[in-house]
Amino acid sequence: MLPIVLTIWGVIFYKVFLGNRGGEIDTNQLPASFQHDLKDTLVTNSYELDLSYDDPFLGKTSIPKATKNSSPESSGNTLEETLILPNIIYSGYVKNEESVSAYLNIDGEIIIAEENREYADIKVVKILPDSVLVYFKNKQEWIKI
């Protein structure tokens, strides 16, 4: 009984640890006809998603909206400025009878922020126990604790 168990575990060990070393197929060892078919298959397979199916919950047919590809040439060489939000870390909040304050670290500066106040171009709109809603240059962002 012991030799059978050791043989089975030996086969399992060989298959798992020693049998699959490279994990990649060496295409140079394949026949030339198969190499050609493999290259054609990898290049020609492409798929499109059909998103015009009925919604299973509402029963309505959803029609995908056309997306506009904007390139610098087509938009008259006007590039949108990408907004980079300052590094904001929300550490916690304090709730008094009349107000709620949040501990924020904005680019290394620790601030005790209150709702509807502006600090370094960042307006604190809403303070919740687990997150803070801020506006930065007309962009809304939730900062999680």
Side-chain angles (χ1 to χ4, degrees):
M1 181 77 154
L2 184 64
I4 294 172
V5 172
L6 290 176
T7 304
I8 291 173
W9 279 107
V11 169
I12 291 172
F13 179 78
Y14 176 77
K15 294 266 185 186
V16 171
F17 294 107
L18 301 176
N20 191 12
R21 286 192 179 211
E24 294 184 14
I25 298 173
D26 186 15
T27 57
N28 295 331
Q29 294 179 353
L30 297 174
S33 63
F34 186 72
Q35 286 180 4
H36 180 69
D37 293 341
L38 180 64
K39 290 178 184 176
D40 289 343
T41 304
L42 293 176
V43 172
T44 58
N45 281 348
S46 64
Y47 302 99
E48 283 189 33
L49 295 176
D50 181 19
L51 300 177
S52 61
Y53 53 86
D54 291 340
D55 188 346
F57 300 105
L58 299 176
K60 299 177 184 176
T61 303
S62 62
I63 300 171
K65 296 178 182 178
T67 58
K68 180 181 175 185
N69 290 338
S70 63
S71 62
E73 294 84 21
S74 66
S75 63
N77 293 332
T78 58
L79 297 176
E80 289 186 26
E81 181 180 325
T82 57
L83 292 178
I84 299 173
L85 191 68
N87 187 16
I88 301 173
I89 300 172
Y90 176 44
S91 301
Y93 78 109
V94 175
K95 184 175 182 180
N96 295 339
E97 290 84 23
E98 58 269 348
S99 68
V100 176
S101 300
Y103 290 106
L104 297 177
N105 185 339
I106 302 174
D107 286 335
E109 183 180 346
I110 297 174
I111 297 172
I112 299 174
E114 295 179 0
E115 289 183 350
N116 298 322
R117 293 236 176 134
E118 192 167 326
Y119 306 93
D121 295 334
I122 298 171
K123 183 177 181 182
V124 178
V125 178
K126 185 76 175 167
I127 299 173
L128 298 176
D130 64 340
S131 59
V132 173
L133 176 63
V134 296
Y135 278 115
F136 178 70
K137 295 185 180 177
N138 297 326
K139 182 180 178 187
Q140 176 180 326
E141 188 74 30
W142 282 97
I143 308 297
K144 303 273 184 190
I145 196 163

